[in-house]
Amino acid sequence: MADHRQRRKPGETREKLMNAALELVGKGRHFASLGIREVTRQAGVVPTSFYRHFRNMDDLGLQLVDELGLVLRRMMREARGNVLQADKLIEESVGIFISHALANRNFFLFMAQGLAGESRAVQEGIRSEMRFFASELANDLRRLRLAEHLSDKDLDVTCDLVVRTVAFSLTDLLGVSVDDDYQVDQIRKRTTHFLQLIFVGAANWQSAK
Amino acid sequence: MADHRQRRKPGETREKLMNAALELVGKGRHFASLGIREVTRQAGVVPTSFYRHFRNMDDLGLQLVDELGLVLRRMMREARGNVLQADKLIEESVGIFISHALANRNFFLFMAQGLAGESRAVQEGIRSEMRFFASELANDLRRLRLAEHLSDKDLDVTCDLVVRTVAFSLTDLLGVSVDDDYQVDQIRKRTTHFLQLIFVGAANWQSAK
DNA sequence: TGCTCTTGTGTACAGTTGTTCACTAATGTG
DNA sequence: CACATTAGTGAACAACTGTACACAAGAGCA
């Protein structure tokens, strides 16, 4: 029998496995219900290869969270680069978020699943990414002098709420078909509305106490 | 061999199976990863019995969503009965929510999981419960004359945001141990803060447009 | 009472699962 | 170049999976 061994680049199979898991998630499966054999089958790799790169499915999940972090940071960088004037800040940011979510659909699906997922470690990882995101947002708002009347704690809570709201919109967004422009636009408008509501609340916070 | 058949009440095994699924979820498993045999084992019932009541696991999930609806309605009724004065409305409501979430921990875990779960039907069912909840909230706010300056659409968006925010807090709440009073109280305070922020936003909405 | 319908049981089976093992080709390091 | 390490393969196995079937005990109704 011919042996079809051909290792091209180091870590290639590893990527194939991680992509395979994401693809299955993209097809509507839940990460928690995926099995090793299933993933290797989708990746076109023999089951035993799995163990060369991951100890189990939880391990793979954790490594996916790490990559998710990169995706989120890319998104943040683009958002920062595109903030032109403050009054369009929300619309622009929501737009960037949505386009990234659609472009990296499977990653964000994985994120949405992981928030209430099976592995505590994955859950904590995603949560930690969200915290980081919120703190970066707080920094930006301070830097842009948009939150000078808020205490550190109040700003922290506000940013946390913003991030949660956007994360929840993920669940809406990923439920509709990618090219259903109308629905996507509805979600964009609604999310924008949410954030405006929150920022109006933050702007009038001091006087309300 | 003795035959231990003893059917006490109609639908008893059905309940046992649904409870078994919830118990497994409560133990940290994800609903999507549960199998028929596993659930029947936990319920102390033979695997074949499952098919007398459900066609498959998705079917069981759907019926759990129906029961979840009852739990939510009970919670709403209690919240309505305990609204004394408007200024403590948020604190009281959050308190009632948290105590219900802790008392029906497994149900709410199932709900949090189902939002990004595997079965589209379960997902839609939970989403529908949330919409209903939001519309009831809108009715109450109108009735209490707390939202007279808001258009129907703006009130709708506000209530949606409130429900989402509370639902997201579920994920925090269910991640901590039930008797970690300190953490639970932190979550209570933070959720209250979120809602206050949103309502301040709603109160100042008109002037901001 | 006898009848039918519902619900629970035991057995069975083919397919799938996670994991171990010994083997081999390619890679990087000296 | 030789050599140790890494990354891939296929066969094997016991355990578990979903589902089908035939059967029996009890419930409800005539």
Side-chain angles (χ1 to χ4, degrees), chain B residues 5 7 13 48-49 52-53:
Chain B
R5 218 155 323 186
R7 191 178 30 163
T13 308
T48 14
S49 277
R52 299 290 181 195
H53 304 278

Side-chain angles (χ1 to χ4, degrees), chain B residues 28-48:
Chain B
R29 303 290 314 279
H30 194 289
F31 184 80
S33 78
L34 298 182
I36 288 177
R37 279 190 119 102
E38 193 178 7
V39 171
T40 56
R41 200 182 309 129
Q42 170 80 19
V45 162
V46 98
T48 14

Side-chain angles (χ1 to χ4, degrees), chain A residues 3 48 63 119:
Chain A
D3 213 342
T48 15
Q63 307 208 30
S119 157

